[in-house]
């Protein structure tokens, strides 16, 4: 089978997969790897939201430095996948449209693919300047258990089939609180960061599930 050439020196086709990643899990990773493979992307950036404006006030968000450390651990040694701190380094709310601007300056001439699960896609009209997101990128959507399968007729979605994994960060945070295992739901390296940093032990972090932009 021909393996598509991965050009990470000067990536031309770049997936932008934003999330709170609180914590990152196999649902995120299986999505990123398979979208990268099927669309022959040179690079898939897991963009950690600095200030997930649609989640703030609904629950305590783990500090960005911890979420970056977990995503870095998750993608270490995985071809095509990289963590991006571009939103964490920028003050203010994490708007995808601003991220796309910043990435276009870093990767001149590249084509961008904005990747999201169906739950996030259903909320795209609530995103800041979402029309600009649609204009500047192709939007790639993957199914997610429990998420609506009919999407708003906003755009020519690229629908990519990935294994359906009913895993969420919300459930993982609750598992830590309850002392239930995280094994095989997050990479071992991520589990170690959670344990070493003592993350999610406090129940205050699970008031309501989040959603929306990042
Ligand atoms: P939370 O429960 O805290 O909202 P989450 O598991 O939904 O966390 P997010 O960081 O909110 O993770 O999601 C980032 C992106 O990953 C979104 O586009 C979301 O749709 C997608 N995603 C998350 N989990 C899955 C999954 N199991 N399958 C497919 N896509 C997923
Ligand atoms: Mg979510």
């Amino acid at each position: 089978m021909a393996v598509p050439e991965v050009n990470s020196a000067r990536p031309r086709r770049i997936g932008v997969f934003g999330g709170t990643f609180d914590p990152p899990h196999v649902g995120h990773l299986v999505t990123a790897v398979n979208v990268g493979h099927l669309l022959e992307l040179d690079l898939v950036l897991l963009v950690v939201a600095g200030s997930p404006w649609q989640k703030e006030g609904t629950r305590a968000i783990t500090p960005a430095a911890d979420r970056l450390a977990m995503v870095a651990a998750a993608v270490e040694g995985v071809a095509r996948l990289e963590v991006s701190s571009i939103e964490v380094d920028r003050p203010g709310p994490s708007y995808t449209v601003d991220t796309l601007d910043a990435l276009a300056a870093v990767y001149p001439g590249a084509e961008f693919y904005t990747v999201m699960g169906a739950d996030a896609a259903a909320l795209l009209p609530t995103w800041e300047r979402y029309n600009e997101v649609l204009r500047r990128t192709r939007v790639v959507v993957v199914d997610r258990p429990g998420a609506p399968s009919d999407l708003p007729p906003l755009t020519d979605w690229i629908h990519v089939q990935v294994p359906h994994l009913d895993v969420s960060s919300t459930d993982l945070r609750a598992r830590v609180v309850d002392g239930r295992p995280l094994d095989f739901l997050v990479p071992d390296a991520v589990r170690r960061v959670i344990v070493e940093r003592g993350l999610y032990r406090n129940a205050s972090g699970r008031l309501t599930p989040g959603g929306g932009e990042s």
Side-chain angles (χ1 to χ4, degrees):
M1 192 184 87
V3 177
E5 197 179 308
V6 176
N7 179 358
S8 54
R10 191 173 165 74
R12 306 279 313 161
R13 295 166 59 79
I14 301 177
V16 179
F17 186 28
T20 309
F21 300 117
D22 194 9
H25 54 66
V26 291
H28 299 128
L29 295 165
V30 166
T31 294
V33 164
N34 284 280
V35 168
H37 174 78
L38 289 164
L39 299 184
E40 300 188 2
L41 304 181
D42 299 314
L43 178 64
V44 180
L45 293 171
L46 277 72
V47 181
V48 176
S51 169
W53 60 282
Q54 291 196 331
K55 283 182 176 168
E56 267 162 8
T58 61
R59 66 172 180 86
I61 309 287
T62 302
D66 292 325
R67 292 182 290 112
L68 277 172
M70 289 189 283
V71 177
V75 300
E76 173 145 29
V78 184
R80 283 198 186 91
L81 304 196
E82 274 181 26
V83 60
S84 170
S85 64
I86 200 163
E87 291 190 353
V88 172
D89 299 338
R90 190 174 71 224
S94 298
Y95 297 138
T96 302
V97 65
D98 296 334
T99 300
L100 291 169
D101 267 350
L103 289 173
V106 176
Y107 300 103
E111 285 170 34
F112 292 98
Y113 294 79
T114 305
V115 182
M116 62 193 75
D119 58 320
L123 293 172
L124 190 63
T126 69
W127 290 20
E128 178 76 12
R129 284 168 284 148
Y130 75 94
N131 272 317
E132 277 299 301
V133 176
L134 296 176
R135 204 175 60 75
R136 293 182 208 184
T137 65
R138 296 297 307 276
V139 181
V140 180
V141 63
V142 302
D143 291 332
R144 181 173 186 186
S149 52
D150 48 332
L151 293 172
L154 297 173
T155 187
D156 196 8
W157 307 94
I158 302 178
H159 185 222
V160 171
Q161 293 286 351
V162 301
H164 294 183
L165 296 169
D166 193 359
V167 182
S168 69
S169 302
T170 300
D171 175 60
L172 291 167
R173 294 190 297 273
R175 283 175 169 268
V176 178
V177 172
D178 301 345
R180 284 176 289 144
L182 301 183
D183 306 69
F184 307 109
L185 298 171
V186 303
D188 235 28
V190 171
R191 197 181 49 76
R192 280 197 294 274
V193 175
I194 292 171
V195 172
E196 279 161 16
R197 298 189 179 208
L199 305 178
Y200 309 119
R201 293 215 192 116
N202 183 329
S204 69
R206 54 184 185 113
L207 293 178
T208 59
E213 185 164 3
S214 296

